[in-house]
């Protein structure tokens, strides 16, 4: 314990600014940000990059001071996820807690790299009501307020991301938590630290990070009353390497120098800083998902013109081909076998969004949400990259979920009809799905995806440096960039809640390889896909509230 003369940590965050964004069904949503300048040797950058912040969700009739709330949930986002990722679960948690007589807050943290998000086109289209304005700005040189889109940045032009690795993410969270609740005993009683997907891993590092040169009160774990992993795990040492001194020394001696070399290679451009032109999960791909959401939000029932306005290039065409292909022949020929491409069919804007991302259409599990089904014309079953029925194979089947999920998927077949969409709460009688596997309201998903500033749903330039740092820490590196990772397993000394998405692969992969704490409360969210863990509708088809927000609210109540 620190001596009686020890000075309590003081946050480096200054210039707190809060801007109310809206009030939805009794939940006030605001952006809170602080001045936390990047190092002096960082490349030139926008002023926004010297600020760190989050989206704050709280009950309209609750206390304005977070220190007076019953609990404050602090959530780290997943891979590529912006703060808007958690819009649904944040509001659902606050409402569920209110039903239990609790006034809680939910903070959806924004990584510093979100300062580079492309939002100009979205903000403008939301003002004009025409989603094609955003498309024309990003792809056809249309100026907005005299500004022309300068083009998508490449890895070499993003040296600023070298200053936005894991340490930056963790330090921002710590400084914000310290600023908002300066009293350490209150912090440790009020804050509940959580993470979705990769955010759970980040939260594990936060717990074991030393923010104060050996002062126990400045350890990450000393800021958290409990931990929640949302289709993830909270740990900085899942293989328990640090439990054995020999393995600790050996892995650190091997991995730390390798990490130094890889980091240096990233700094000079030998390794990429971003996913860039990678199909399906690259820069343009995530922008297209956001544009599809924008179109479905602004003109849900209109026939979509989005794909017709998108240019043909390798990244865009490969992305659409992968997500849409019905079988391997279709994929190999990009529809030239007679099946056609996604651009050859007619959809309402809502139907196009569903075709891109729904669990009964999208060919990549980690992007899927259960939002309803295609309607208005005939469909055929998909077998690319494997049929959903393959996930029923004993043992192997659970791992096949990683490719395209456990649900049967279908593609349109008639190029003349206009395909429409049946929302998640209107799927009764559809033979290839069931109400219990449709859990997200596509109208809300569209609103979230189509959001502009202050924080986008998907980051435009997610720094791969964060992934490299996590890998180094998991491998045993404890010097250099991982020098402040001085503790291990602290999260296991506190209450834990583990929320598995029932239709996701995560619980069958990492969930089996790295067991959860023995004292953890484990809940499965029935019918949820990975993103549904934080994106489900407030009311489910069985009349109950969102399982994720409800279980979290009940867990908060149990903490006292």
């Amino acid at each position: 314990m620190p001596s009686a003369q020890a000075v309590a940590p003081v946050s480096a965050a200054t210039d707190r600014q809060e801007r109310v964004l809206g009030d939805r069904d009794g939940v006030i949503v605001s952006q809170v940000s602080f001045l936390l300048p990047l190092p002096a040797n960082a490349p030139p950058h926008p002023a926004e990059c010297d600020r760190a912040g989050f989206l704050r969700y709280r009950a309209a009739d609750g206390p304005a001071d977070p220190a007076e709330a019953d609990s404050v949930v602090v959530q780290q986002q997943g891979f590529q996820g912006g703060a808007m990722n958690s819009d649904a679960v944040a509001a659902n948690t606050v409402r569920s807690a209110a039903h239990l007589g609790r006034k809680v807050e939910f903070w959806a943290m924004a990584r510093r790299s979100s300062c580079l998000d492309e939002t100009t086109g979205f903000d403008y289209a939301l003002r004009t009501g025409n989603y094609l304005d955003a498309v024309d700005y990003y792809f056809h040189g249309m100026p907005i307020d005299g500004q022309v889109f300068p083009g998508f940045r490449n890895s070499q032009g993003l040296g600023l991301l070298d200053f936005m690795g894991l340490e930056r993410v963790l330090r921002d969270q710590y400084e914000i938590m310290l600023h908002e609740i300066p009293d350490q005993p209150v912090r440790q009683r009020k804050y509940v630290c959580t993470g979705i997907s990769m955010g759970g891993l980040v939260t594990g590092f936060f717990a074991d990070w030393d923010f104060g040169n050996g002062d126990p009160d400045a350890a990450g774990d000393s800021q958290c009353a409990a931990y929640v992993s949302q289709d993830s795990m909270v740990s900085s040492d899942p293989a328990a390497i640090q439990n054995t001194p020999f393995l600790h020394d050996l892995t650190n001696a091997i991995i730390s120098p390798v990490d130094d070399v890889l980091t240096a290679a990233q700094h000079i451009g030998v390794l990429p800083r971003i996913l860039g032109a990678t199909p399906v999960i690259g820069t343009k791909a995530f922008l297209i998902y956001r544009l599809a959401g924008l179109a479905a939000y602004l003109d849900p029932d209109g026939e979509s013109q989005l794909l017709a306005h998108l240019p043909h290039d390798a990244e865009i065409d490969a992305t659409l081909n992968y997500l849409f292909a019905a079988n391997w022949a279709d994929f190999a020929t990009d529809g030239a076998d007679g099946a056609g491409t996604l651009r050859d069919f007619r959809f309402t804007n809502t139907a196009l969004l569903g075709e891109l991302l729904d669990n009964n259409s999208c060919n990549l599990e980690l992007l899927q949400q259960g939002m309803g089904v295609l309607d208005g014309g005939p469909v055929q079953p998909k077998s690319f990259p494997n049929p959903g029925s393959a996930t029923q194979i004993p043992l192997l089947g659970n791992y096949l979920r990683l490719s395209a999920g456990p649900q049967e998927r279908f593609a349109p077949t008639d190029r003349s009809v206009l395909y429409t969409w049946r929302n998640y709460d209107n799927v009764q009688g559809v033979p290839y799905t069931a109400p219990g596997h449709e859990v997200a309201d596509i109208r809300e998903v569209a609103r979230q995806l189509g959001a502009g500033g202050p924080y986008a749903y998907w980051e435009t330039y997610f720094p791969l440096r964060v992934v490299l740092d996590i890998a180094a820490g998991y491998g045993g590196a404890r010097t250099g960039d991982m020098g402040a990772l001085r503790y291990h397993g602290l999260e296991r000394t506190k209450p834990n809640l583990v929320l598995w998405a029932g239709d996701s692969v995560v619980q069958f992969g990492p969930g089996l390889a790295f067991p959860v704490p023995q004292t953890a409360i484990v809940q499965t969210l029935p019918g949820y896909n990975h993103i549904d863990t934080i994106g489900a509708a407030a009311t489910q088809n069985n009349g109950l509230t969102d399982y994720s927000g409800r279980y979290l609210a009940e867990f908060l109540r149990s903490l006292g």
Side-chain angles (χ1 to χ4, degrees), residues 31 43 72 103 168 188 191 210 245 283 291 325 357 533 544:
Q31 180 208 16
V72 179
K103 302 302 181 185
R168 181 75 268 161
Q188 196 167 39
Y191 283 128
D210 179 6
T283 301
L291 288 170
L357 299 178
T533 311
L544 299 177

Side-chain angles (χ1 to χ4, degrees), residues 4-276:
Q5 291 76 31
V7 178
V10 176
S11 175
T14 61
D15 188 33
R16 183 188 192 275
Q17 297 181 13
E18 182 165 8
R19 176 166 61 104
V20 173
L21 304 175
D23 182 339
R24 296 203 315 273
D25 299 326
V27 177
I28 295 176
V29 185
S30 59
Q31 180 208 16
V32 181
S33 72
F34 305 82
L35 181 64
L36 274 169
L38 293 172
N41 61 336
H45 52 271
E48 293 84 358
C49 294
D50 281 323
R51 302 191 67 84
F54 60 93
L55 292 180
R56 181 189 186 194
Y57 297 76
R58 62 185 181 91
D61 60 352
D65 183 354
E68 299 300 321
D70 291 310
S71 297
V72 179
V73 177
V74 183
Q75 183 181 59
Q76 284 290 344
Q77 307 308 316
F79 182 81
Q80 289 274 169
M84 196 64 178
N85 247 201
S86 295
D87 182 74
V89 72
N92 291 345
T93 300
V94 172
R95 293 191 195 101
S96 288
H99 289 313
L100 298 174
R102 309 280 291 181
K103 302 302 181 185
V104 309
E105 295 198 11
F106 193 111
W107 297 357
M109 301 300 293
R111 284 184 288 265
R112 190 68 71 95
S113 44
S114 65
C115 69
L116 301 175
D117 281 348
E118 289 296 344
T119 62
T120 301
F122 288 83
D123 292 333
Y124 184 74
L126 289 167
R127 294 199 305 269
T128 66
N130 183 0
Y131 65 92
L132 292 178
D133 286 340
V135 180
D136 289 340
Y137 172 73
Y138 289 116
F139 293 102
H140 301 297
M142 186 190 84
I144 291 179
D145 298 330
Q147 173 183 334
V148 176
F149 179 56
F152 296 100
R153 303 188 190 190
N154 57 30
S155 182
Q156 288 71 27
L158 288 166
L160 187 63
L161 295 184
D162 296 341
F163 295 81
M164 297 180 180
L166 180 63
E167 193 278 335
R168 181 75 268 161
V169 175
L170 301 179
R171 175 63 66 175
D172 285 350
Q173 178 177 338
Y174 172 75
E175 299 293 354
I176 288 172
M177 293 171 70
L178 184 61
H179 185 283
E180 294 296 83
I181 303 182
D183 189 342
Q184 194 273 333
V186 179
R187 287 199 301 277
Q188 196 167 39
R189 188 169 68 252
K190 299 280 188 177
Y191 283 128
V192 174
C193 299
T194 76
I196 166 67
S197 191
M198 188 196 75
L201 316 186
V202 171
T203 299
F205 280 85
F206 181 85
D208 292 333
W209 205 265
D210 179 6
F211 295 97
N213 298 317
D215 179 357
D217 283 351
D221 180 66
S222 295
Q223 323 309 314
C224 307
Y227 298 92
V228 180
S229 56
Q230 295 153 309
D231 215 31
S232 181
M233 63 179 175
V234 173
S235 175
S236 70
D237 183 31
I241 293 172
Q242 306 305 310
N243 290 347
T244 306
F246 171 74
L247 290 178
H248 166 280
D249 295 342
L250 178 63
T251 54
N252 184 51
I254 295 172
I255 301 300
S256 286
V258 172
D259 180 47
D260 291 342
V261 171
L262 294 177
T263 300
Q266 198 170 55
H267 288 181
I268 63 175
V270 175
L271 290 179
R273 293 185 172 101
I274 60 173
L275 289 169

Side-chain angles (χ1 to χ4, degrees), residues 313-383:
D313 70 23
E315 182 182 353
I316 294 174
D317 289 346
T319 295
L320 298 179
N321 183 34
Y322 188 93
L323 296 179
F324 180 69
N327 54 56
W328 278 95
D330 295 350
F331 174 69
T333 64
D334 193 8
D337 62 341
T341 70
L342 187 62
R343 298 179 194 251
D344 294 323
F345 292 86
R346 300 173 60 207
F347 303 95
T348 64
N349 283 307
T350 301
L352 177 61
L353 176 61
E355 185 64 21
L356 287 171
L357 299 178
D358 184 71
N359 63 339
N360 295 118
S361 344
C362 173
N363 289 335
L364 183 66
E365 193 268 346
L366 291 178
L367 290 174
Q368 293 175 353
Q369 289 191 260
M371 303 182 292
V373 294
L374 204 62
D375 198 18
V379 295
Q380 65 174 340
K382 288 187 174 186
S383 59

